[in-house]
Amino acid sequence: MPHPLQWKQLRRGGAAITAHRTLPGVPYPLGATWDGSGVNFALFSEHAERVDLCLFDQAHGASETARITLREQTDFVWHVYLPDARPGQLYGYRVFGPFDPARGMRFNPAKLLLDPYARAISGAVDWSDAMFGYPVGGGDDRDLDVDERDSAPGMAKSVVVEPAFSWGDDRRPGTPLHNTVILETHVRGFTLLHPGIPVRLRGTYSALADHHVVRHLQELGVTALELMPVHHFVNDKHLVDRGLRNYWGYNSIGYFAPDTRYTSDSRPGAAVAEFKTMVKVLHQAGIEVILDVVYNHTAEGNHFGPTLAFRGIDNPSYYRLTGDGRYYMDYTGTGNTLNMLHPRVIQLIMDSLRYWVTDMHVDGFRFDLAATLARELHEVDRLSAFFDIIHQDPVVSQVKLIAEPWDLGEGGYQVGNFPVLWAEWNGKYRDTVRRFWRGDPGQAGDLGYRLTGSSDLYARNGRRPYASINFVTAHDGFTLRDLVSYNDKHNEANGEDNRDGTDDNLSWNCGAEGETDAAAVNDLRARQQRNFLTTLLLSQGVPMILHGDPVGRTQQGNNNAYCQDSEIAWQSWDLSAEQHALFAWTRRLVAFRARHPVLRRRHYFQGRPIRGRGLKDISWLWPDGEELTEEQWADEATRCLGVWLAGAASDLTDEEGRPVLDDAIVILMNASAAGVAFTLPPAVGAERWSLTLDTARPHEREGARRLRGKAPYPLASRSVAVLTHPTR
C-alpha cells in the first residue's frame, strides 16, 4: 500500500512564510521565465497530485519565505505567475503524489526539488540522510519506506535569471569540421595553476577567457575547445565521504545551468553572464566552444539514490524503469537511464540543446554515452526518435554534433553506426594507433583505414572523413605522457584499491614503469609522444588533443582521475625544457596541417589518378619504394610503411569550387625496433624531397635536408618522417 505522507506547512529557518500575489500564468516555456514585469513558473509532472512552489531568501537561501500551491495545470504542466518575483529569486518545488516505490512512484514533499529547467542553481548539496526519500541505514527493502525529514536546509536552490546580455557583434567562428582541431579540456584543471591569471579567477570561466590562456590556445593553433561537463552536477556522497569529489562532472542534475564551481562570482545566477562572457571572448579569438553533455543519466542514481529533482517530480516519466517499476534500467553504469521514450524527456533535452545554442552561443555538443540516447526499447536504433528530432531541428542540426558512440549495455558499442550530421569519437582509431606504436603485430591494414578517415566505418552511410573524431588520449584513460610511461594503471589515490579504471590500456612504458632517470628510456618516451601527436595531426578526420598532452602532463599513472580534483589532474604551467620542446613540436604539426589542404580532405581518397598527371591521389609504399602488395598489407610483421599524398592529383577544391593544388607529401612510419633505409618515391621534374620533420630528429631545421627522388631516407626505429616537394 502507498505510504500516507503528511506535510505540515511550517515556519522555516525562523522566517515567516509570506503571501505573494499570484496570477494563473502559462504552461510554456517551462522553467522560471522573467519577462521584465514578473516571473512565470512552469513545471511538468504527469502523475503529481499537487505542486508547491517554495521561495527562499536571496542572501543565503536558508530560509523559506513563501510557499505557493500551483492551482493551474495545463497538459500536465503546473504553472503560476508571480508579478512581484525578480531575477535572483531562489526557489524549489515540493511535489505531492503517491509514495509507492514498488510501482515506480516516489513522490515525497518533504524533499525540496530542483527545477529541471532552472537556468541557474545556487549552492551545492550538503549531504545528509535527509537528501534521501527513504530511511538510510535499513535493509535491502529500505527504499520502500518513506523518510519525512525536510531536505531544504541542505539542498541547492534554483535561481530566476536575467537573460539579457550584451553580445554585441558576437559571431560563431563557424569553422568547418574538416578544418577543426579540438582541444578537450576541463575548465578548472586547465587554468587553476596558471601563474599569469589572478588567483581569484583561476579555475573559472573567466580564466578560460583570460588573455594568457587565449594566447596559449592561439599559439597552439586549436580551433575549438571541447569542455568537459559544465551543466550543474553533484558531488557523489560516496566521494565526499572519502574526502574526494566528482572532478570530471559526469553527474548532471541541471541541464540548463552552468555549474557554479567554475564561476568567480558567488552571487546567485552570476555564472550565466560569466559563461557568456567566456564564449564571447573565445569567439573573438576564432575559437569555438563545444560542450560535453550528459543526457543519458542524472545524479540521482539507482533506487538507493537521493531525491533531488526528477525522481521526486515524476519518476516513471523521467526514468527508464524495469517491468515492476521499482528498479532502474542502467545502460550507463551510474544507476539510472533517462527515459527517451517519453516525449517530455525528449523535449527537455531538445529545449536544453536549443537554449545553449541560442542563449549561450555555444558551437556544438559532444554527447556522453550517446548510444544510450538511441535506445528505443532495449536495442540501439540509430534511427530512433531522438535522431529524427535532431535532424529536423532548425537550430540544433546546424551546430557540431559529436557522439561518444557506446554505452555499457548489450549492443552498446556503435562506432560507425550514427547517422549523417553526426561525427563520432573514433575508438577504433585510438586503439589501432596505440597498438601500432606499441609494436603489436598485424596492425598495418587497419592503420591504413584509420589514417585516411576510416572509410570502412563512415563511407557506407554517406558520411565523410570528418565524421571521424580522431584521438589517442582523452580524459578517460592515460594522458599521452603516461601512455608511454606505464604498463599498468596506478589508481591508488582514488581509494578503490586500484580496482577502478580499465586494465586494457594498450600502453607501453618503454622499459621502465613510471618516472625514471634512465636517459635512453626518457628519450624513447619523448619520441613516442611525438610519434602519437604526428600520427594524429596528419590523419584525415578531425584531430582531438587532450589538454596537457602538448606539454607532457602526467597523472602519475592514474587512468581514472574522475575524482581527483588535485595536482594529479590539474595542468602544471611550470614547464621543463623537454615540455617546452613538445609544445613547440605540437604547434609545428598543427601549423603544418593548416598549410596543407590535402591533410584536411572533405572526401575520401580514391586511390586512382584524379587529374591528368597520371598520379594516384594516394599511394601506399613499402620501404623499397614500391607500392604495398596485398600480402604485405596482411603480413603481421609489417611495422613500416609509407603513404604518398599527391597534392597535384587530388580532387581538392576551394569554397568556390575551384581546383586546389597542394604539395606532394610523403609520410614514413616505422614502429619496428630497427632503422630502415626507406626509398622515396620519384619527384616531379627537377624537384627534390625536402625533409619537413622527423620525430627522431626533432631539432633538425625544416628544409635542411633535401633528397632526390628514389633516394633512400634513413628512417630511424620507432619514428615518423615527413617529406614534401612543391607542385608545379
Side-chain angles (χ1 to χ4, degrees):
M1 291 292 293
H3 289 269
L5 187 63
Q6 302 297 322
W7 183 254
K8 300 176 181 178
Q9 298 196 24
L10 303 175
R11 294 162 62 91
R12 299 292 170 204
I17 294 181
T18 59
H20 267 252
R21 289 193 301 145
T22 65
L23 296 174
V26 292
Y28 192 83
L30 291 164
T33 305
W34 162 247
D35 63 7
S37 299
V39 179
N40 189 80
F41 294 86
L43 179 77
F44 161 76
S45 180
E46 181 176 345
H47 297 97
E49 297 172 355
R50 170 181 155 190
V51 174
D52 283 359
L53 170 66
C54 303
L55 305 183
F56 293 83
D57 71 283
Q58 294 179 219
H60 305 289
S63 300
E64 185 177 333
T65 59
R67 187 174 304 173
I68 299 133
T69 297
L70 277 59
R71 307 294 182 187
E72 300 291 333
Q73 186 210 84
T74 305
D75 299 331
F76 301 125
V77 175
W78 304 74
H79 50 91
V80 70
Y81 185 88
L82 303 186
D84 298 324
R86 295 291 182 268
Q89 175 66 60
L90 305 186
Y91 70 99
Y93 289 102
R94 301 187 189 276
V95 182
F96 297 75
F99 184 87
D100 188 4
R103 295 194 302 113
M105 299 294 184
R106 296 180 181 268
F107 292 103
N108 187 338
K111 310 307 170 184
L112 185 75
L113 306 173
L114 291 169
D115 180 356
Y117 278 74
R119 267 53 173 182
I121 294 173
S122 179
V125 174
D126 184 7
W127 286 110
S128 70
D129 291 351
M131 296 296 120
F132 298 82
Y134 61 90
V136 174
D140 291 343
D141 289 335
R142 60 188 181 275
D143 67 302
L144 299 179
D145 294 322
V146 68
D147 180 278
E148 297 190 32
R149 284 172 289 187
D150 183 11
S151 69
M155 188 60 192
K157 310 300 190 295
S158 304
V159 185
V160 178
V161 303
E162 167 59 77
F165 180 78
S166 180
W167 282 106
D169 61 352
D170 178 67
R171 291 183 177 87
R172 295 185 180 88
T175 306
L177 257 179
H178 67 282
N179 290 334
T180 296
V181 178
I182 297 172
L183 185 73
E184 189 198 22
T185 193
H186 188 282
V187 173
R188 178 172 168 84
F190 187 51
T191 64
L192 190 64
L193 299 180
H194 198 299
I197 301 173
V199 173
R200 69 178 184 84
L201 299 182
R202 295 179 189 176
T204 69
Y205 306 120
S206 292
L208 271 184
D210 183 270
H211 67 95
H212 294 91
V213 172
V214 172
R215 184 170 65 245
H216 171 84
L217 297 172
Q218 290 177 315
E219 289 176 354
L220 183 57
V222 298
T223 68
L225 293 185
E226 184 177 298
L227 301 183
M228 292 176 66
V230 298
H231 287 169
H232 195 93
F233 62 92
V234 174
N235 280 319
D236 316 61
K237 184 178 186 299
H238 71 92
L239 293 177
V240 174
D241 290 346
R242 301 205 310 265
L244 300 170
R245 59 185 291 173
N246 191 317
Y247 170 69
W248 284 352
Y250 293 93
N251 206 33
S252 300
I253 198 66
Y255 292 122
F256 294 78
D259 198 283
T260 55
R261 292 167 183 80
Y262 309 136
T263 181
S264 60
D265 189 336
S266 61
R267 291 175 299 171
V272 177
E274 186 169 339
F275 183 93
K276 290 177 177 179
T277 300
M278 175 199 73
V279 171
K280 183 177 178 180
V281 170
L282 290 171
H283 281 179
Q284 289 170 348
I287 298 170
E288 296 183 311
V289 177
I290 299 170
L291 300 189
D292 192 338
V293 290
V294 189
Y295 294 117
N296 52 77
H297 74 279
T298 78
E300 291 186 301
N302 64 14
H303 57 296
F304 290 141
T307 298
L308 307 174
F310 308 93
R311 172 174 285 134
I313 294 171
D314 197 329
N315 189 58
S317 294
Y318 279 112
Y319 291 117
R320 295 287 296 272
L321 304 178
T322 59
D324 59 6
R326 177 181 175 188
Y327 301 108
Y328 295 78
M329 292 184 182
D330 184 10
Y331 297 118
T332 64
T334 60
N336 66 55
T337 302
L338 276 176
N339 183 14
M340 294 297 295
L341 301 179
H342 198 290
R344 287 291 188 175
V345 176
I346 294 178
Q347 179 189 5
L348 169 76
I349 296 173
M350 292 305 300
D351 286 349
S352 169
L353 292 169
R354 279 190 292 267
Y355 173 77
W356 286 95
V357 174
T358 58
D359 285 55
M360 307 295 265
H361 286 208
V362 304
D363 304 280
F365 305 95
R366 178 265 189 190
F367 292 79
D368 178 65
L369 301 181
T372 300
L373 302 175
R375 291 183 180 272
E376 292 211 336
L377 290 175
H378 299 288
E379 301 297 326
V380 175
D381 178 4
R382 69 182 181 89
L383 298 178
S384 71
F386 176 67
F387 296 119
D388 292 341
I389 292 168
I390 287 276
H391 285 190
Q392 62 80 41
D393 189 274
V395 174
V396 181
S397 65
Q398 300 305 302
V399 300
K400 291 180 170 65
L401 302 171
I402 301 170
E404 181 186 33
W406 50 77
D407 65 21
L408 300 185
E410 182 179 353
Y413 190 76
Q414 292 293 313
V415 172
N417 289 336
F418 279 69
V420 293
L421 295 189
W422 287 79
E424 299 177 19
W425 272 26
N426 191 342
K428 292 186 177 181
Y429 180 96
R430 171 200 59 204
D431 295 347
T432 297
V433 171
R434 287 188 179 195
R435 289 190 180 105
F436 178 78
W437 285 115
R438 190 171 65 170
D440 289 8
Q443 300 305 307
D446 203 43
L447 183 70
Y449 281 115
R450 304 307 147 233
L451 295 178
T452 56
S454 295
S455 60
D456 58 326
L457 300 177
Y458 306 117
R460 64 177 181 269
N461 62 356
R463 290 190 286 170
R464 303 285 182 81
Y466 47 79
S468 180
I469 305 296
N470 300 328
F471 67 104
V472 175
T473 56
H475 67 272
D476 188 2
F478 281 150
T479 65
L480 183 60
R481 178 170 168 178
D482 289 354
L483 185 66
V484 301
S485 303
Y486 294 91
N487 285 347
D488 303 302
K489 66 186 182 185
H490 296 268
N491 298 354
E492 291 81 6
N494 295 356
E496 300 178 39
D497 297 323
N498 207 34
R499 294 189 303 270
D500 62 303
T502 183
D503 294 315
D504 187 21
N505 295 292
L506 301 177
S507 61
W508 178 44
N509 65 18
C510 297
E513 187 73 358
E515 296 300 310
T516 179
D517 293 328
V521 172
N522 286 328
D523 287 347
L524 179 56
R525 288 176 177 175
R527 185 187 303 182
Q528 285 284 76
Q529 289 178 79
R530 292 191 291 271
N531 288 338
F532 280 118
L533 287 167
T534 303
T535 305
L536 176 64
L537 284 159
L538 300 187
S539 297
Q540 302 295 323
V542 181
M544 185 185 77
I545 306 168
L546 174 63
H547 91 249
D549 279 357
V551 295
R553 180 176 71 90
T554 178
Q555 292 181 169
Q556 302 166 31
N558 193 318
N559 74 351
N560 190 35
Y562 78 103
C563 58
Q564 292 298 324
D565 191 3
S566 68
E567 292 190 2
I568 289 176
W570 303 335
Q571 175 167 324
S572 172
W573 297 82
D574 182 14
L575 306 181
S576 66
E578 178 185 319
Q579 290 174 303
H580 279 294
L582 185 61
F583 181 74
W585 181 266
T586 311
R587 287 179 58 190
R588 184 176 171 186
L589 287 168
V590 176
F592 182 75
R593 179 184 181 87
R595 290 199 305 270
H596 291 286
V598 75
L599 298 174
R600 298 176 281 108
R601 291 175 53 86
R602 293 180 290 113
H603 301 276
Y604 293 106
F605 290 106
Q606 299 184 41
R608 63 177 178 81
I610 304 299
R611 294 181 178 146
R613 303 184 182 220
L615 295 174
K616 295 180 179 179
D617 57 353
I618 183 172
S619 301
W620 295 95
L621 306 175
W622 191 245
D624 63 5
E626 300 298 320
E627 290 200 49
L628 265 74
T629 65
E630 291 295 330
E631 292 76 14
Q632 290 164 340
W633 274 117
D635 190 341
E636 290 201 348
T638 298
R639 292 181 175 84
C640 182
L641 52 80
V643 55
W644 177 14
L645 308 180
S650 72
D651 55 352
L652 299 171
T653 58
D654 62 16
E655 294 180 355
E656 297 182 1
R658 295 171 299 196
V660 171
L661 297 181
D662 197 359
D663 293 344
I665 300 175
V666 167
I667 304 167
L668 309 178
M669 308 176 74
N670 181 15
S672 70
V676 175
F678 204 115
T679 301
L680 297 173
V684 177
E687 295 296 343
R688 295 193 177 194
W689 291 104
S690 174
L691 179 65
T692 298
L693 55 87
D694 187 331
T695 61
R697 303 172 178 86
H699 303 297
E700 188 158 343
R701 183 173 55 85
E702 183 174 339
R705 187 181 304 207
R706 300 176 66 82
L707 298 94
R708 295 183 181 277
K710 298 190 176 182
Y713 181 80
L715 185 63
S717 65
R718 298 191 176 96
S719 70
V720 185
V722 179
L723 300 97
T724 65
H725 78 64
T727 294
R728 301 297 185 189

PDB file of all heavy atoms in Angstrom, residues 477-499:
ATOM      1  N   GLY A 477      41.259   7.674 -19.162  1.00  0.00           N
ATOM      2  CA  GLY A 477      42.414   6.860 -19.514  1.00  0.00           C
ATOM      3  C   GLY A 477      43.712   7.585 -19.222  1.00  0.00           C
ATOM      4  O   GLY A 477      43.750   8.615 -18.555  1.00  0.00           O
ATOM      5  N   PHE A 478      44.788   7.037 -19.731  1.00  0.00           N
ATOM      6  CA  PHE A 478      46.105   7.646 -19.550  1.00  0.00           C
ATOM      7  C   PHE A 478      46.224   8.949 -20.335  1.00  0.00           C
ATOM      8  O   PHE A 478      45.655   9.088 -21.425  1.00  0.00           O
ATOM      9  CB  PHE A 478      47.201   6.703 -20.038  1.00  0.00           C
ATOM     10  CG  PHE A 478      47.554   5.588 -19.091  1.00  0.00           C
ATOM     11  CD1 PHE A 478      48.012   4.372 -19.573  1.00  0.00           C
ATOM     12  CD2 PHE A 478      47.466   5.752 -17.720  1.00  0.00           C
ATOM     13  CE1 PHE A 478      48.364   3.343 -18.724  1.00  0.00           C
ATOM     14  CE2 PHE A 478      47.813   4.730 -16.842  1.00  0.00           C
ATOM     15  CZ  PHE A 478      48.260   3.517 -17.349  1.00  0.00           C
ATOM     16  N   THR A 479      46.992   9.888 -19.799  1.00  0.00           N
ATOM     17  CA  THR A 479      47.450  11.011 -20.608  1.00  0.00           C
ATOM     18  C   THR A 479      48.484  10.487 -21.593  1.00  0.00           C
ATOM     19  O   THR A 479      48.940   9.344 -21.502  1.00  0.00           O
ATOM     20  CB  THR A 479      48.093  12.098 -19.742  1.00  0.00           C
ATOM     21  OG1 THR A 479      49.295  11.568 -19.148  1.00  0.00           O
ATOM     22  CG2 THR A 479      47.141  12.571 -18.645  1.00  0.00           C
ATOM     23  N   LEU A 480      48.892  11.310 -22.543  1.00  0.00           N
ATOM     24  CA  LEU A 480      49.876  10.874 -23.535  1.00  0.00           C
ATOM     25  C   LEU A 480      51.198  10.500 -22.870  1.00  0.00           C
ATOM     26  O   LEU A 480      51.806   9.474 -23.203  1.00  0.00           O
ATOM     27  CB  LEU A 480      50.086  11.980 -24.569  1.00  0.00           C
ATOM     28  CG  LEU A 480      51.048  11.640 -25.710  1.00  0.00           C
ATOM     29  CD1 LEU A 480      50.562  10.444 -26.509  1.00  0.00           C
ATOM     30  CD2 LEU A 480      51.222  12.853 -26.628  1.00  0.00           C
ATOM     31  N   ARG A 481      51.643  11.310 -21.942  1.00  0.00           N
ATOM     32  CA  ARG A 481      52.906  11.003 -21.267  1.00  0.00           C
ATOM     33  C   ARG A 481      52.807   9.699 -20.490  1.00  0.00           C
ATOM     34  O   ARG A 481      53.746   8.896 -20.489  1.00  0.00           O
ATOM     35  CB  ARG A 481      53.288  12.151 -20.326  1.00  0.00           C
ATOM     36  CG  ARG A 481      54.577  11.910 -19.545  1.00  0.00           C
ATOM     37  CD  ARG A 481      55.005  13.167 -18.829  1.00  0.00           C
ATOM     38  NE  ARG A 481      56.062  12.923 -17.859  1.00  0.00           N
ATOM     39  CZ  ARG A 481      56.634  13.863 -17.126  1.00  0.00           C
ATOM     40  NH1 ARG A 481      56.244  15.128 -17.267  1.00  0.00           N
ATOM     41  NH2 ARG A 481      57.575  13.576 -16.263  1.00  0.00           N
ATOM     42  N   ASP A 482      51.670   9.465 -19.852  1.00  0.00           N
ATOM     43  CA  ASP A 482      51.505   8.229 -19.094  1.00  0.00           C
ATOM     44  C   ASP A 482      51.353   7.025 -20.015  1.00  0.00           C
ATOM     45  O   ASP A 482      51.723   5.904 -19.646  1.00  0.00           O
ATOM     46  CB  ASP A 482      50.306   8.337 -18.162  1.00  0.00           C
ATOM     47  CG  ASP A 482      50.558   9.291 -17.002  1.00  0.00           C
ATOM     48  OD1 ASP A 482      51.691   9.777 -16.865  1.00  0.00           O
ATOM     49  OD2 ASP A 482      49.621   9.553 -16.229  1.00  0.00           O
ATOM     50  N   LEU A 483      50.815   7.245 -21.216  1.00  0.00           N
ATOM     51  CA  LEU A 483      50.657   6.165 -22.176  1.00  0.00           C
ATOM     52  C   LEU A 483      52.004   5.549 -22.545  1.00  0.00           C
ATOM     53  O   LEU A 483      52.083   4.351 -22.842  1.00  0.00           O
ATOM     54  CB  LEU A 483      49.960   6.698 -23.433  1.00  0.00           C
ATOM     55  CG  LEU A 483      49.592   5.694 -24.524  1.00  0.00           C
ATOM     56  CD1 LEU A 483      48.525   4.724 -24.033  1.00  0.00           C
ATOM     57  CD2 LEU A 483      49.121   6.429 -25.774  1.00  0.00           C
ATOM     58  N   VAL A 484      53.060   6.353 -22.515  1.00  0.00           N
ATOM     59  CA  VAL A 484      54.391   5.850 -22.868  1.00  0.00           C
ATOM     60  C   VAL A 484      55.258   5.627 -21.626  1.00  0.00           C
ATOM     61  O   VAL A 484      56.451   5.340 -21.759  1.00  0.00           O
ATOM     62  CB  VAL A 484      55.098   6.815 -23.844  1.00  0.00           C
ATOM     63  CG1 VAL A 484      54.270   6.989 -25.110  1.00  0.00           C
ATOM     64  CG2 VAL A 484      55.377   8.170 -23.203  1.00  0.00           C
ATOM     65  N   SER A 485      54.658   5.754 -20.422  1.00  0.00           N
ATOM     66  CA  SER A 485      55.429   5.637 -19.186  1.00  0.00           C
ATOM     67  C   SER A 485      54.937   4.537 -18.254  1.00  0.00           C
ATOM     68  O   SER A 485      55.620   4.213 -17.269  1.00  0.00           O
ATOM     69  CB  SER A 485      55.400   6.970 -18.416  1.00  0.00           C
ATOM     70  OG  SER A 485      55.894   8.026 -19.210  1.00  0.00           O
ATOM     71  N   TYR A 486      53.774   3.978 -18.535  1.00  0.00           N
ATOM     72  CA  TYR A 486      53.189   2.981 -17.630  1.00  0.00           C
ATOM     73  C   TYR A 486      52.596   1.824 -18.423  1.00  0.00           C
ATOM     74  O   TYR A 486      51.900   2.035 -19.422  1.00  0.00           O
ATOM     75  CB  TYR A 486      52.082   3.614 -16.769  1.00  0.00           C
ATOM     76  CG  TYR A 486      52.576   4.661 -15.809  1.00  0.00           C
ATOM     77  CD1 TYR A 486      52.629   6.006 -16.197  1.00  0.00           C
ATOM     78  CD2 TYR A 486      53.001   4.325 -14.528  1.00  0.00           C
ATOM     79  CE1 TYR A 486      53.090   6.983 -15.323  1.00  0.00           C
ATOM     80  CE2 TYR A 486      53.456   5.294 -13.649  1.00  0.00           C
ATOM     81  CZ  TYR A 486      53.501   6.615 -14.051  1.00  0.00           C
ATOM     82  OH  TYR A 486      53.961   7.581 -13.187  1.00  0.00           O
ATOM     83  N   ASN A 487      52.871   0.622 -17.961  1.00  0.00           N
ATOM     84  CA  ASN A 487      52.181  -0.555 -18.499  1.00  0.00           C
ATOM     85  C   ASN A 487      50.884  -0.829 -17.757  1.00  0.00           C
ATOM     86  O   ASN A 487      49.977  -1.458 -18.306  1.00  0.00           O
ATOM     87  CB  ASN A 487      53.074  -1.795 -18.399  1.00  0.00           C
ATOM     88  CG  ASN A 487      54.183  -1.800 -19.437  1.00  0.00           C
ATOM     89  OD1 ASN A 487      54.169  -1.022 -20.390  1.00  0.00           O
ATOM     90  ND2 ASN A 487      55.164  -2.670 -19.256  1.00  0.00           N
ATOM     91  N   ASP A 488      50.815  -0.384 -16.510  1.00  0.00           N
ATOM     92  CA  ASP A 488      49.671  -0.686 -15.657  1.00  0.00           C
ATOM     93  C   ASP A 488      49.128   0.596 -15.046  1.00  0.00           C
ATOM     94  O   ASP A 488      49.851   1.577 -14.856  1.00  0.00           O
ATOM     95  CB  ASP A 488      50.071  -1.647 -14.533  1.00  0.00           C
ATOM     96  CG  ASP A 488      50.671  -2.940 -15.066  1.00  0.00           C
ATOM     97  OD1 ASP A 488      49.988  -3.627 -15.848  1.00  0.00           O
ATOM     98  OD2 ASP A 488      51.834  -3.246 -14.719  1.00  0.00           O
ATOM     99  N   LYS A 489      47.851   0.579 -14.712  1.00  0.00           N
ATOM    100  CA  LYS A 489      47.223   1.717 -14.038  1.00  0.00           C
ATOM    101  C   LYS A 489      47.715   1.808 -12.602  1.00  0.00           C
ATOM    102  O   LYS A 489      48.109   0.806 -11.982  1.00  0.00           O
ATOM    103  CB  LYS A 489      45.702   1.561 -14.065  1.00  0.00           C
ATOM    104  CG  LYS A 489      45.206   0.371 -13.249  1.00  0.00           C
ATOM    105  CD  LYS A 489      43.720   0.152 -13.398  1.00  0.00           C
ATOM    106  CE  LYS A 489      43.265  -1.030 -12.530  1.00  0.00           C
ATOM    107  NZ  LYS A 489      41.857  -1.367 -12.730  1.00  0.00           N
ATOM    108  N   HIS A 490      47.684   3.012 -12.063  1.00  0.00           N
ATOM    109  CA  HIS A 490      48.100   3.265 -10.684  1.00  0.00           C
ATOM    110  C   HIS A 490      47.087   4.233 -10.073  1.00  0.00           C
ATOM    111  O   HIS A 490      47.337   5.425  -9.941  1.00  0.00           O
ATOM    112  CB  HIS A 490      49.518   3.841 -10.649  1.00  0.00           C
ATOM    113  CG  HIS A 490      50.549   2.882 -11.160  1.00  0.00           C
ATOM    114  ND1 HIS A 490      51.234   2.017 -10.344  1.00  0.00           N
ATOM    115  CD2 HIS A 490      50.979   2.634 -12.418  1.00  0.00           C
ATOM    116  CE1 HIS A 490      52.065   1.282 -11.071  1.00  0.00           C
ATOM    117  NE2 HIS A 490      51.931   1.637 -12.339  1.00  0.00           N
ATOM    118  N   ASN A 491      45.933   3.683  -9.696  1.00  0.00           N
ATOM    119  CA  ASN A 491      44.792   4.488  -9.253  1.00  0.00           C
ATOM    120  C   ASN A 491      44.597   4.457  -7.746  1.00  0.00           C
ATOM    121  O   ASN A 491      43.486   4.680  -7.259  1.00  0.00           O
ATOM    122  CB  ASN A 491      43.513   4.001  -9.939  1.00  0.00           C
ATOM    123  CG  ASN A 491      43.556   4.138 -11.448  1.00  0.00           C
ATOM    124  OD1 ASN A 491      44.506   4.694 -12.000  1.00  0.00           O
ATOM    125  ND2 ASN A 491      42.549   3.633 -12.122  1.00  0.00           N
ATOM    126  N   GLU A 492      45.649   4.180  -7.004  1.00  0.00           N
ATOM    127  CA  GLU A 492      45.510   4.026  -5.559  1.00  0.00           C
ATOM    128  C   GLU A 492      44.904   5.256  -4.898  1.00  0.00           C
ATOM    129  O   GLU A 492      44.157   5.141  -3.917  1.00  0.00           O
ATOM    130  CB  GLU A 492      46.875   3.708  -4.934  1.00  0.00           C
ATOM    131  CG  GLU A 492      47.431   2.339  -5.268  1.00  0.00           C
ATOM    132  CD  GLU A 492      48.102   2.271  -6.635  1.00  0.00           C
ATOM    133  OE1 GLU A 492      48.233   3.331  -7.302  1.00  0.00           O
ATOM    134  OE2 GLU A 492      48.477   1.159  -7.053  1.00  0.00           O
ATOM    135  N   ALA A 493      45.190   6.442  -5.425  1.00  0.00           N
ATOM    136  CA  ALA A 493      44.689   7.675  -4.811  1.00  0.00           C
ATOM    137  C   ALA A 493      43.168   7.760  -4.864  1.00  0.00           C
ATOM    138  O   ALA A 493      42.566   8.545  -4.121  1.00  0.00           O
ATOM    139  CB  ALA A 493      45.298   8.896  -5.503  1.00  0.00           C
ATOM    140  N   ASN A 494      42.523   6.963  -5.707  1.00  0.00           N
ATOM    141  CA  ASN A 494      41.062   7.002  -5.820  1.00  0.00           C
ATOM    142  C   ASN A 494      40.368   6.279  -4.676  1.00  0.00           C
ATOM    143  O   ASN A 494      39.137   6.370  -4.543  1.00  0.00           O
ATOM    144  CB  ASN A 494      40.614   6.372  -7.145  1.00  0.00           C
ATOM    145  CG  ASN A 494      41.086   7.159  -8.346  1.00  0.00           C
ATOM    146  OD1 ASN A 494      41.685   8.221  -8.215  1.00  0.00           O
ATOM    147  ND2 ASN A 494      40.835   6.636  -9.527  1.00  0.00           N
ATOM    148  N   GLY A 495      41.131   5.551  -3.877  1.00  0.00           N
ATOM    149  CA  GLY A 495      40.550   4.895  -2.707  1.00  0.00           C
ATOM    150  C   GLY A 495      39.745   3.655  -3.002  1.00  0.00           C
ATOM    151  O   GLY A 495      38.904   3.245  -2.200  1.00  0.00           O
ATOM    152  N   GLU A 496      39.984   3.022  -4.160  1.00  0.00           N
ATOM    153  CA  GLU A 496      39.237   1.814  -4.521  1.00  0.00           C
ATOM    154  C   GLU A 496      40.170   0.632  -4.731  1.00  0.00           C
ATOM    155  O   GLU A 496      39.872  -0.296  -5.507  1.00  0.00           O
ATOM    156  CB  GLU A 496      38.388   2.079  -5.774  1.00  0.00           C
ATOM    157  CG  GLU A 496      37.374   3.204  -5.584  1.00  0.00           C
ATOM    158  CD  GLU A 496      36.568   3.507  -6.832  1.00  0.00           C
ATOM    159  OE1 GLU A 496      36.195   2.544  -7.539  1.00  0.00           O
ATOM    160  OE2 GLU A 496      36.312   4.694  -7.101  1.00  0.00           O
ATOM    161  N   ASP A 497      41.322   0.654  -4.043  1.00  0.00           N
ATOM    162  CA  ASP A 497      42.299  -0.437  -4.097  1.00  0.00           C
ATOM    163  C   ASP A 497      42.727  -0.756  -5.523  1.00  0.00           C
ATOM    164  O   ASP A 497      42.998  -1.920  -5.861  1.00  0.00           O
ATOM    165  CB  ASP A 497      41.730  -1.703  -3.426  1.00  0.00           C
ATOM    166  CG  ASP A 497      41.444  -1.494  -1.942  1.00  0.00           C
ATOM    167  OD1 ASP A 497      42.226  -0.786  -1.294  1.00  0.00           O
ATOM    168  OD2 ASP A 497      40.430  -2.027  -1.462  1.00  0.00           O
ATOM    169  N   ASN A 498      42.777   0.269  -6.357  1.00  0.00           N
ATOM    170  CA  ASN A 498      43.241   0.145  -7.741  1.00  0.00           C
ATOM    171  C   ASN A 498      42.344  -0.771  -8.584  1.00  0.00           C
ATOM    172  O   ASN A 498      42.766  -1.285  -9.622  1.00  0.00           O
ATOM    173  CB  ASN A 498      44.690  -0.363  -7.800  1.00  0.00           C
ATOM    174  CG  ASN A 498      45.413   0.094  -9.061  1.00  0.00           C
ATOM    175  OD1 ASN A 498      45.184   1.185  -9.570  1.00  0.00           O
ATOM    176  ND2 ASN A 498      46.299  -0.750  -9.568  1.00  0.00           N
ATOM    177  N   ARG A 499      41.109  -0.951  -8.151  1.00  0.00           N
ATOM    178  CA  ARG A 499      40.182  -1.795  -8.910  1.00  0.00           C
ATOM    179  C   ARG A 499      39.470  -1.006 -10.013  1.00  0.00           C
ATOM    180  O   ARG A 499      38.946  -1.600 -10.954  1.00  0.00           O
ATOM    181  CB  ARG A 499      39.132  -2.417  -7.983  1.00  0.00           C
ATOM    182  CG  ARG A 499      39.681  -3.409  -6.972  1.00  0.00           C
ATOM    183  CD  ARG A 499      38.539  -4.124  -6.262  1.00  0.00           C
ATOM    184  NE  ARG A 499      37.636  -3.187  -5.606  1.00  0.00           N
ATOM    185  CZ  ARG A 499      37.761  -2.754  -4.354  1.00  0.00           C
ATOM    186  NH1 ARG A 499      38.779  -3.171  -3.618  1.00  0.00           N
ATOM    187  NH2 ARG A 499      36.887  -1.901  -3.827  1.00  0.00           N
TER     188      ARG A 499
END
